[in-house]
Amino acid sequence: MEFGFMAFAKTVLNWIGLIFVLGLTLLLIAIVITYIIDKTQKKHAVRRNFPVIGRFRYWFEHLGEFFRQYFFTLDREEMPFNRAERSWAYRAAKNVSRTLAFGSTRNLTPTGTVMFLNDQFPTLEENAVESEALLIGPYCPKPYLAPSFFNISGMSYGALSKVAVQALAKGAAKAGCWINTGEGGLSPHHLSGGGDVVFQIGTAKYGVRNDDGTLSDEKLIKVCSHDQVKMIELKLAQGAKPGKGGILPGRKVTEEIAKIRHIPDGEDSISPNGHPEIDDVSDLLDMINHIRDLTGKPVGFKTVIGTHEFLFDLCEEIHKRGIKFAPDFITIDSADGGSGAAPQPLFDYVGLTIKESLPLVLSVLQKQGLRDRVKVICSGKMINPSGVAWALAMGADFALSARGFMFALGCIQALQCNKNTCPTGVTTHDPDLQKGLVVPDKAERVYHYHKNLVKAVGVIAHSCGVTEPRGLKRHHVRVVTETGLSTPLDKIHPYQESSIPTKKL
């Protein structure tokens, strides 16, 4: 028996040795072949000068995206969202403590730093109240009484996985906020939670398009017949790519997505950079009122602000037609990027950020006597309470976040949203990777993230001496200037008074 075991063990060791030698031989052959290829190719200088080992550069460059955020950057260094910002979002979503010790790691002296002014007699908890629901679309047959000032910004099914959309929809329904479909059309996954939905119409008219790309009234009426669809948002531009349409690589255009969008399966889906039917503000109002007449629901538009002349032209056209014909809301997106993949020059250099565009829009609407008629919604890096509180203090009616809710779903900022290789299942259609995103668990995290952010904005408001978040005003905020000292926000952006009487119908 012992002799037989020794013989078997010897045979196994011989095979292991043979496999090792064979593997080593194949590795040496592969290295030699790689060396010859690298040394003779003429496109890559690093590989030509450092054959074989030069290839590790690409691997290290790829891994750097992951290791930087964990090992090599400080809490407040990384872009687009640093570790401190992401950590707050993660902890809020997990519903664990957001308190810290030993003081702030935030530098409070750089120009542009926002500081809220605490009141010496803050609002007591028993005197605090929740923000009231706000009516959008008073002239519509079916106006929308929006319950929450914080909502989910536009992210399409296509850019996001179906499990991500399902988790967002279910979490939003429990939180009492709306979810915006993004430009990819209305999917069953958006409706799966049973909550409020804002249907976005992009330049390609996905989901409501004719074969030639024009708007199909019949399909639009069908989409908006769902009671859950509360508003329609006409997208002119978004922060990730102002001046360019949506980009969905063919590898992410599944059969289901193609059916929802009414496009070919497996082909790149590139939206036009503008609506062919809209060349000026008159065309824009024509389209808004056409959609509103068809659906009976509030209609507005989303854009990134560039030239301010557009705003004055729009207001002038509204005054010509009458206040009834104004858009029910304007969604302003910040120009520093968003959840969508885009050419770097666009989100680096084109358009105004929300810190400049939001006060500009509010001031123009106020001076033109349209502020009460047109609700203002804003988005742009609002993943933490301070950003939302600033927007409300500035005068916005609602604030939106896309990437904040992506963090709630488990996004780790891997920067692979457009590659179909998202390691957390948020932006991939790979079934194996989607298994990591468990819908019931992530829906709870979406709910908790929303609940805890709204609560934290309330904490800021109460510290400033007001009873609810919309009570925050510009005089509650100061901004650090280039002198190193702060100045009141209402001095930088003074309150405007209406100078034009509105024409009513």
Side-chain angles (χ1 to χ4, degrees):
M1 177 73 70
E2 185 177 347
F3 176 77
F5 175 77
M6 293 296 292
F8 173 75
K10 185 176 180 180
T11 302
V12 170
L13 290 173
N14 286 337
W15 274 106
I16 292 175
L18 181 63
I19 292 172
F20 177 77
V21 172
L22 180 61
L24 187 60
T25 302
L26 292 174
L27 177 62
L28 290 172
I29 293 173
I31 291 174
V32 171
I33 293 173
T34 303
Y35 180 92
I36 294 172
I37 292 173
D38 287 351
K39 201 66 179 175
T40 55
Q41 59 85 32
K42 300 178 181 179
K43 292 185 177 180
H44 304 281
V46 172
R47 284 169 51 194
R48 188 174 176 85
N49 290 335
F50 303 95
V52 183
I53 61 173
R55 289 176 176 257
F56 285 94
R57 168 182 176 269
Y58 307 106
W59 187 52
F60 292 142
E61 184 178 7
H62 174 67
L63 290 180
E65 296 177 356
F66 302 95
F67 284 107
R68 274 194 298 274
Q69 63 178 314
Y70 297 113
F71 299 116
F72 305 121
T73 56
L74 299 177
D75 285 346
R76 301 283 180 174
E77 281 187 335
E78 196 178 6
M79 296 290 284
F81 297 99
N82 60 50
R83 187 186 295 125
E85 293 169 329
R86 296 196 315 274
S87 178
W88 190 94
Y90 292 144
R91 296 179 72 83
K94 294 175 184 177
N95 201 32
V96 298
S97 174
R98 277 85 59 204
T99 58
L100 299 174
F102 216 64
S104 175
T105 59
R106 180 179 180 234
N107 188 346
L108 302 180
T109 59
T111 301
T113 298
V114 170
M115 295 182 293
F116 293 90
L117 304 182
N118 62 292
D119 193 280
Q120 302 310 310
F121 307 100
T123 300
L124 299 177
E125 187 172 345
E126 57 265 30
N127 296 325
V129 298
E130 293 185 2
S131 294
E132 293 184 358
L134 202 60
L135 187 73
I136 307 175
Y139 294 93
C140 297
K142 301 175 184 177
Y144 176 40
L145 192 62
S148 176
F149 62 77
F150 184 58
N151 300 278
I152 303 177
S153 190
M155 294 182 284
S156 67
Y157 171 45
L160 298 189
S161 64
K162 65 179 181 181
V163 287
V165 176
Q166 289 167 1
L168 288 173
K170 294 179 187 298
K174 185 173 182 179
C177 68
W178 77 62
I179 177 174
N180 188 304
T181 65
E183 66 175 301
L186 180 68
S187 73
H189 313 302
H190 290 109
L191 301 172
S192 63
D196 295 347
V197 175
V198 175
F199 176 63
Q200 187 184 93
I201 302 176
T203 56
K205 316 291 193 300
Y206 291 131
V208 290
R209 70 197 305 268
N210 294 309
D211 292 338
D212 61 357
T214 57
L215 181 67
S216 168
D217 290 355
E218 182 181 352
K219 292 176 182 176
L220 177 62
I221 292 172
K222 183 178 179 180
V223 165
C224 293
S225 65
H226 293 280
D227 290 336
Q228 286 177 243
V229 176
K230 302 297 184 181
M231 301 196 300
I232 299 93
E233 180 180 77
L234 190 66
K235 192 187 84 170
L236 303 183
Q238 69 185 87
K241 37 188 172 284
K244 185 173 179 61
I247 304 170
L248 189 65
R251 58 181 173 271
K252 296 186 72 174
V253 183
T254 65
E255 183 179 349
E256 183 184 26
I257 290 169
K259 183 177 180 181
I260 292 169
R261 296 192 177 204
H262 304 297
I263 57 175
D265 181 6
E267 296 183 11
D268 289 348
S269 182
I270 311 297
S271 302
N273 63 338
H275 292 270
E277 310 94 325
I278 302 176
D279 290 326
D280 52 35
V281 294
S282 179
D283 292 339
L284 174 60
L285 289 182
D286 285 345
M287 177 68 81
I288 287 172
N289 283 278
H290 175 69
I291 295 171
R292 190 160 47 205
D293 290 342
L294 282 176
T295 64
K297 298 181 178 182
V299 183
F301 66 89
K302 174 180 181 177
T303 193
V304 175
I305 299 299
T307 57
H308 65 278
E309 286 83 1
F310 158 75
L311 296 170
F312 288 105
D313 291 343
L314 177 65
C315 292
E316 183 180 355
E317 186 66 23
I318 293 170
H319 289 308
K320 287 181 181 178
R321 301 187 183 203
I323 197 170
K324 177 181 178 181
F325 296 93
D328 296 303
F329 62 89
I330 297 176
T331 303
I332 313 161
D333 204 3
S334 190
D336 45 7
S339 58
Q344 185 176 348
L346 290 183
F347 56 62
D348 274 352
Y349 296 104
V350 180
L352 296 178
T353 65
I354 198 68
K355 283 193 174 182
E356 191 168 355
S357 58
L358 177 58
L360 175 61
V361 171
L362 291 168
S363 294
V364 171
L365 289 177
Q366 187 65 40
K367 290 191 71 173
Q368 295 292 317
L370 296 171
R371 181 63 191 89
D372 291 336
R373 169 68 178 92
V374 181
K375 295 297 180 278
V376 176
I377 307 169
C378 68
S379 64
K381 287 191 171 182
M382 294 186 185
I383 74 166
N384 292 152
S386 57
V388 176
W390 171 87
L392 296 178
M394 182 59 69
D397 297 300
F398 302 92
L400 310 178
S401 182
R403 288 171 289 182
F405 284 97
M406 289 176 69
F407 287 135
L409 292 173
C411 168
I412 61 170
Q413 196 169 273
L415 308 180
Q416 298 185 39
C417 306
N418 60 325
K419 299 177 182 178
N420 207 35
T421 56
C422 171
T424 60
V426 177
T427 63
T428 179
H429 302 297
D430 184 327
D432 291 330
L433 292 174
Q434 287 184 5
K435 291 177 182 177
L437 199 160
V438 181
V439 172
D441 175 67
K442 301 305 182 186
E444 280 297 302
R445 293 195 180 194
V446 168
Y447 161 69
H448 285 304
Y449 171 70
H450 178 275
K451 180 189 73 172
N452 287 321
L453 187 140
V454 169
K455 180 179 179 181
V457 176
V459 169
I460 294 174
H462 303 156
S463 178
C464 294
V466 296
T467 57
E468 56 97 3
R470 284 201 179 101
L472 288 169
K473 305 299 178 185
R474 297 180 192 182
H475 59 266
H476 291 121
V477 183
R478 291 180 71 95
V479 180
V480 176
T481 65
E482 62 276 2
T483 65
L485 301 176
S486 65
T487 191
L489 183 60
D490 57 342
K491 182 178 179 181
I492 299 173
H493 301 292
Y495 293 107
Q496 303 292 326
E497 294 185 5
S498 176
S499 59
I500 297 179
T502 57
K503 176 183 175 183
K504 297 183 178 181
L505 294 184

